Amino acid sequence: MTTSNTTTNHDQIRKWVEARKGHPARVKDEKPGGILRIDFGEPQDALEEISWDEFFRIFDQNKLAFLYQKKTETGQTSRFSKFVARH
């Protein structure tokens, strides 16, 4: 069984993403601020890369938390993550 973690810590989020060769992105042509995503380099025309500063501005403005998994059930590094509302 795998476990997930939730954080709002910017450094922790950035380290998790960068360790998996990802970078911050948002969905193109969305409302101001946009919908955040983590881009792992697979071709997705709908995403545009943004700076970490912009990413965390949107993240905090929308009161989001980062739900993520460190390892898969087989012990591999996991890239599972999603954004959830803070409680």
Side-chain angles (χ1 to χ4, degrees):
M1 184 170 151
T2 61
T3 60
S4 61
N5 303 290
T6 304
T7 187
T8 58
N9 181 289
H10 293 188
D11 289 333
Q12 192 173 2
I13 295 166
R14 186 173 182 162
K15 286 177 185 175
W16 184 94
V17 171
E18 290 178 346
R20 288 155 179 80
K21 310 280 191 250
H23 59 268
R26 70 176 161 202
V27 177
K28 288 182 185 176
D29 302 323
E30 277 298 319
K31 63 183 180 180
I35 298 172
L36 294 178
R37 295 286 186 263
I38 302 299
D39 186 353
F40 292 105
E42 290 87 13
Q44 292 189 35
D45 292 336
L47 294 183
E48 64 181 339
E49 187 171 351
I50 59 174
S51 69
W52 280 112
D53 288 340
E54 178 71 1
F55 178 88
F56 287 121
R57 184 190 65 75
I58 296 167
F59 181 81
D60 290 335
Q61 181 178 348
N62 289 301
K63 297 183 173 91
L64 297 173
F66 187 68
L67 177 75
Y68 65 99
Q69 181 183 53
K70 292 181 182 179
K71 300 281 184 184
T72 65
E73 286 186 15
T74 60
Q76 302 295 317
T77 299
S78 176
R79 293 192 327 188
F80 171 78
S81 68
K82 68 180 185 176
F83 299 99
V84 297
R86 292 181 191 178
H87 295 292

